[in-house]
Amino acid sequence: MPWSSRLDAVAPFRVMSLLESAQAREAAGHDVIHLEVGEPDFPTPAPVLAAGQQALARGQTRYTPAAGLPALREAIAGHYARHFGAEVDPQRILVTPGASGALLLASQLLVEAGDRVLMADPTYPCNRHFMALAGAEVDVVPVGPASGWQLDAELVARHWGEATRLAMLASPSNPTGHMLDAAGLAAVAETVAGRGGALLVDEIYQGLCYELAPLSAAAVAPEAFVVNSFSKYFGMTGWRLGWLVAPEAAVEPLTRLAQNVFLAAPTPAQHAALAAFSPECRELLEARRGELQRRRDALLAGLAGLGLAPDLPPQGAFYLWLDIARYSRDSEAFCRRLLEEENVAITPGTDFAVHGGEHHVRIAFTTDIARLEEAVARLGRFLARQEGG
């Protein structure tokens, strides 16, 4: 029996195969440095763990409303007001099973067969795949230093077509770590609205910003659909919890979709996440953000010594997007050899970029500085052999 043709639009996530190979090398006794997966080495914050344990002890394991615990929706709205100056009605917030659940809802609501979606290239591959599964065609727009590695208003205007219905941004982005500022976000929102389209903004790495202050599209583009997550800034990857901010008119159909697609987000995770907004937890999370910035700076310094630092340092998230064209035009082979020869695991750019992925790699600075420095030393040895060979 043939599988559904919609699967043809979903490419494998190559980093998972590389992670499997790296873990196999570890099991065989090799000292592997993991810089491939987007998950820092920090544990879930203690206040969140305690709140989750208390919820389980109280038996809070039944379904919540499809849109999430009212108290959690109110806490998220308070988070927007305190830190981003955005007044968001809690009723416009839907709590979802991870940001993936939010993307699923948004894609099913906003596009259908024959529609076209604008998206930056490179970007997180699942963003493309969600749209394809909804039947839409994705028009990837190559971005680079000239636009700050972002899909800006000029690019949106240039590439918007008759069948375009949606533009999707990611700020800070995966894999480049670059951001749009308030003026840039507002300009994109105005451009999209002027063409009668919808704007979807991925803010999964929102709290992890360095030189620029964190910013939300909810503050400058109230009609935008905004996706966020408890995974990255809040350190709750395995709890599978995210949210979607939607315009008021979209709440009812989105809730109807949620009721049918996943019923509700995990109940213990929702109770645990209430503690993520406490002052105690905020202090810890900000300390972790500072540590990630120090890791970024240490990695940039080491790569500069190899002549490999990016022209534009990442402003957020925990990734570096590196051009390796000087050494290879086959990023998958490059990453495979680096793992086999030096036990350093990084991600091939072909996971993220339709154009140029073959000569880019992504490095996640998700381990401590000593390990990052060791990884740079191993990478230096590897590159020296490429030049010598």
Side-chain angles (χ1 to χ4, degrees), residues 56-90:
L56 290 171
R58 290 193 296 262
Q60 292 173 315
T61 58
R62 294 181 176 274
Y63 294 134
T64 70
L69 282 173
L72 183 56
R73 298 165 78 190
E74 290 170 7
I76 294 169
H79 177 68
Y80 278 104
R82 283 191 304 276
H83 300 295
F84 311 113
E87 295 299 325
V88 179
D89 185 338

Side-chain angles (χ1 to χ4, degrees), residues 114-117 137 139 160-166:
D115 290 343
R116 304 194 76 88
V117 177
E137 297 286 334
D139 294 318
W160 196 277
E162 184 177 340
T164 308
R165 297 291 177 267
L166 175 69

Side-chain angles (χ1 to χ4, degrees), residues 306 308 327 334 378-388:
L306 300 177
L308 204 59
Y327 299 98
F334 181 94
R378 296 183 189 185
L379 178 60
R381 291 197 300 265
F382 177 77
L383 296 178
R385 290 197 295 275
Q386 312 312 304
E387 290 180 325

